Amino acid sequence: MNAEDWITHLDMAAHPEGGYFKQSFVSPEKISLDTHPAERNLYTSIYFLLRSQDVSHFHRLKSDELWYFHAGQTTTVHILDVQGNYRAEKLGLDIAAGERPQVLVEKGSIFGSTVEADEAFSLVGCMVSPGFDFADFELLLQAELLEQFPDQEPIIRKLAYKKLPDTLSGR
């Protein structure tokens, strides 16, 4: 199947950070934590599809997010941790080449993703715990990231919005 087949069959929609998603699971159990403004589901999970012509822009969550590889080509998850250290995690099944079938993005990290292969896609799953809520989702702009992390300029210019798209400005 190609990217469009997956998008259609899984009934995916455009994601504000880039790529396509479909929520697949929501825990019926709830949890309250001091780090979140309101009660959250214990966990949530989505399918996430990224094509090589797409970029998952830098964003931050108040929860841990665990990524699982499903199909397609390798996804690179670009992570700036809370200290501003950059690392690129390869999400895929070629273990001998350093890929891993699961990647953890720790809460508070800034992250985005890419598919480096030409004319390719990657289908992954992302589980967030405590569960995802858009109130805990923050898209980050180039100017603020360059001010905080000037040593990370190349990846920031590649993955951060210069300005929020009009569709996100009212969020």
Side-chain angles (χ1 to χ4, degrees):
M1 290 193 353
N2 63 32
E4 287 68 31
D5 292 332
W6 286 106
I7 292 166
T8 300
H9 289 293
L10 293 176
D11 193 28
M12 300 175 97
H15 197 292
E17 77 195 44
Y20 297 85
F21 81 107
K22 173 68 176 185
Q23 189 168 65
S24 53
F25 295 101
V26 176
S27 169
E29 297 169 299
K30 302 282 187 173
I31 189 170
S32 294
L33 298 169
D34 294 340
T35 55
H36 293 70
E39 188 176 69
R40 296 285 180 258
N41 296 90
L42 184 58
Y43 68 86
T44 58
S45 188
I46 64 168
Y47 291 115
F48 182 68
L49 185 138
L50 196 64
R51 302 172 303 175
S52 52
Q53 67 265 35
D54 301 322
V55 171
S56 168
H57 291 86
F58 269 148
H59 59 289
R60 179 172 31 214
L61 299 179
K62 293 181 180 181
S63 300
D64 288 340
E65 183 168 73
L66 190 55
W67 290 53
Y68 302 90
F69 182 81
H70 291 308
Q73 298 297 314
T74 305
T75 299
T76 303
V77 184
H78 304 271
I79 303 168
L80 280 170
D81 67 21
V82 292
Q83 290 82 30
N85 300 309
Y86 169 76
R87 72 182 190 278
E89 299 280 358
K90 300 291 185 181
L91 185 64
L93 299 179
D94 190 349
I95 305 302
E99 297 175 7
R100 298 184 310 161
Q102 298 178 9
V103 169
L104 174 66
V105 177
E106 298 88 0
K107 65 182 173 187
S109 297
I110 297 164
F111 65 104
S113 59
T114 57
V115 176
E116 306 299 330
D118 292 334
E119 297 183 36
F121 73 93
S122 182
L123 176 67
V124 302
C126 300
M127 186 182 79
V128 177
S129 180
F132 179 83
D133 188 294
F134 271 107
D136 304 331
F137 175 80
E138 179 185 10
L139 277 169
L140 298 149
L141 298 175
Q142 278 185 13
E144 64 186 299
L145 290 175
L146 288 170
E147 186 176 310
Q148 288 180 316
F149 310 110
D151 293 347
Q152 307 302 341
E153 182 175 358
I155 196 64
I156 289 170
R157 292 208 182 276
K158 181 176 181 176
L159 293 183
Y161 281 117
K162 286 183 183 179
K163 71 178 193 95
L164 288 181
D166 292 338
T167 56
L168 301 176
S169 298
R171 195 169 265 267

